[in-house]
């Protein structure tokens, strides 16, 4: 979970740094959510990612951290599905300016973004499953002690 928190922190900072640039394209409406500008969407999502990064850093085993990360991943997947359903092939700004700094092609940046979503989702699901198994073991021990 802490690795997921670190990734969210880095990506959140990258989004906020992207939103603070003077890129003209960020003033246009977001293609999936046209009621909000791309800049404002980056600001909101970057702050949400930083919030969950801090939550995971402070309480990685809390219910809120595990299920919040899963919900965040679900939101990312839904946004991606929105892009695909609209036929938008422009690279998603979800990694901020990192692809430029790392000299990644748009295809490589998309693969990296997809990999991060899958990894964050797997960490969340793995944490939820592990927590449930531990809870069942504790319940089993408590029942043995009672009888």
């Amino acid at each position: 979970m802490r690795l997921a928190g670190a990734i969210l922190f880095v990506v959140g900072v990258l989004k906020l740094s992207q939103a603070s640039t003077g890129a003209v394209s960020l003033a246009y409406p977001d293609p999936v959510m046209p009621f909000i500008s791309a800049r404002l969407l980056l600001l909101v999502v970057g702050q949400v990612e930083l919030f969950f990064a801090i939550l995971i850093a402070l309480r990685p085993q809390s219910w809120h951290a595990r299920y919040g990360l899963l919900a965040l991943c679900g939101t990312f997947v839904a946004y991606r599905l929105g892009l695909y359903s609209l036929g938008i092939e422009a690279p998603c700004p979800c990694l901020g300016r990192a692809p430029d700094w790392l000299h990644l092609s748009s295809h490589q940046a998309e693969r990296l973004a997809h990999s991060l979503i899958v990894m964050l989702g797997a960490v969340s699901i793995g944490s939820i499953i592990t927590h449930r198994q531990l809870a069942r073991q504790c319940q089993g021990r408590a029942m043995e002690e009672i009888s």
Side-chain angles (χ1 to χ4, degrees):
M1 284 293 287
R2 291 190 197 278
L3 175 62
I7 290 169
L8 285 177
F9 182 81
V10 169
V11 174
V13 168
L14 290 171
K15 279 186 179 77
L16 293 176
S17 71
Q18 171 73 10
S20 67
T21 66
V24 176
S25 62
L26 294 178
Y28 296 114
D30 180 76
V32 177
M33 294 184 274
F35 54 88
I36 189 171
S37 72
R39 181 181 320 280
L40 186 56
L41 182 62
L42 283 173
L43 286 170
V44 170
V45 175
Q47 290 175 3
V48 169
E49 287 175 339
L50 288 178
F51 171 79
F52 279 108
I54 292 168
L55 176 65
I56 291 169
L58 297 177
R59 303 213 31 202
Q61 295 305 319
S62 72
W63 180 91
H64 296 92
R66 289 190 308 272
Y67 286 94
L69 180 58
L70 184 61
L72 191 61
C73 290
T75 304
F76 293 158
V77 169
Y79 184 83
R80 288 286 184 165
L81 290 174
L83 287 174
Y84 293 133
S85 69
L86 293 172
I88 297 169
E89 296 185 19
C92 177
C94 43
L95 296 176
R97 298 191 45 99
D100 296 336
W101 297 333
L102 298 172
H103 305 290
L104 298 176
S105 69
S106 60
H107 178 69
Q108 291 170 323
E110 288 294 307
R111 288 185 68 194
L112 177 60
H114 290 148
S115 298
L116 289 175
I117 292 171
V118 168
M119 189 185 77
L120 291 173
V123 165
S124 176
I125 292 169
S127 178
I128 290 167
I129 290 170
T130 301
H131 179 69
R132 284 187 179 179
Q133 288 174 344
L134 291 174
R136 285 186 185 134
Q137 289 174 355
C138 289
Q139 284 178 339
R141 284 189 214 129
M143 294 302 286
E144 288 174 4
E145 290 177 9
I146 292 174
S147 51

